Amino acid sequence: MFDGIEFIEFAVDDETARRLGEQLRDLGLHYAGRHRSKSVDLFRRGRVNFVLNSELDSAASEHFQLHGPSVCAMALRVDDAGRTLERARALLCPEWQERVGEGERRIPRAAGTDGTLIYLLQPDPSGRSIYEDDFRLFADAPGAVALTDIDHVAQALPIGRMDNFVLFYRAVLGFNPEQLWEIADPYGWSAAGQW
């Protein structure tokens, strides 16, 4: 069962990581940590987490080479990551494996129809978060009111790709689509769905 979005990951290079980090700070997030073994930075406020990945020889690097700075992955909180991954395998969704450092958590992940990685995070029996295991965390920023959560994600799709995305999110993750919205686009038309 889906329980929310744990983090959104951006594919960046060093320069775009710096600029995007500045924009995230302007939005009230703070630089919260650095990955233990990779060129990955964590920005957060409350339960809103953004990961900026500039690691060379990674899925993020490949995504950056194809699309420039963009979202390359998201982590979904689920009650049973193994069951969700088995469903993805049964539906022939490609899996992705990357190097995992000593003491870091191995996170199951599948690739969506556009190559975006979907990490599947379930609660750890020890109560530790992925951030405690994989990042060198800094002190939380004082004072500001915590954001409660990432409440939705929008994906821009080329014409003719909506059915593929609906099928993936429905069959693999068990989402149910709501009303389809058509949104005006100066270069054509767009459609947006809500889950």
Side-chain angles (χ1 to χ4, degrees):
M1 170 169 263
F2 172 71
D3 186 37
I5 300 166
E6 183 61 36
F7 65 79
I8 303 292
E9 181 174 336
F10 290 87
V12 293
D13 62 6
D14 291 338
E15 175 58 23
T16 53
R18 184 190 61 73
R19 286 186 292 147
L20 182 53
E22 289 172 0
Q23 290 176 330
L24 292 173
R25 284 184 187 97
D26 289 345
L27 291 172
L29 286 87
H30 70 282
Y31 182 43
R34 179 81 172 166
H35 198 277
R36 294 182 188 280
S37 67
K38 298 176 183 148
S39 184
V40 176
D41 295 306
L42 171 65
F43 287 80
R44 68 186 338 182
R45 174 67 63 207
R47 287 183 63 174
V48 175
N49 299 288
F50 292 107
V51 173
L52 309 186
N53 188 336
S54 59
E55 178 74 8
L56 298 176
D57 193 29
S58 68
S61 177
E62 182 179 318
H63 193 91
F64 181 82
Q65 295 304 317
L66 291 170
H67 305 288
S70 53
V71 172
C72 63
M74 67 178 132
L76 306 180
R77 290 188 297 269
V78 296
D79 62 346
D80 188 338
R83 184 178 69 223
T84 306
L85 188 59
E86 283 304 315
R87 179 75 179 150
R89 284 180 185 139
L91 294 169
L92 306 178
C93 293
E95 289 180 62
W96 184 268
Q97 299 296 321
E98 286 187 328
R99 176 179 53 83
V100 177
E102 185 177 334
E104 296 170 1
R105 203 179 291 185
R106 187 172 299 280
I107 307 170
R109 64 198 91 169
T113 59
D114 65 344
T116 299
L117 294 180
I118 308 294
Y119 295 91
L120 304 168
L121 286 172
Q122 68 185 45
D124 188 87
S126 72
R128 290 179 58 85
S129 75
I130 183 68
Y131 311 107
E132 292 169 296
D133 290 341
D134 287 12
F135 286 83
R136 289 184 187 89
L137 295 174
F138 311 135
D140 277 340
V145 175
L147 300 173
T148 57
D149 232 328
I150 296 172
D151 62 359
H152 71 280
V153 172
Q155 288 183 286
L157 304 174
I159 292 175
R161 296 293 307 273
M162 179 65 85
D163 289 343
N164 294 348
F165 278 76
V166 169
L167 182 60
F168 174 80
Y169 284 108
R170 181 177 233 168
V172 175
L173 301 172
F175 290 4
N176 291 312
E178 292 185 5
Q179 172 187 349
L180 180 68
W181 300 348
E182 289 188 18
I183 301 170
D185 181 336
Y187 301 106
W189 69 274
S190 300
Q194 188 173 2
W195 302 92

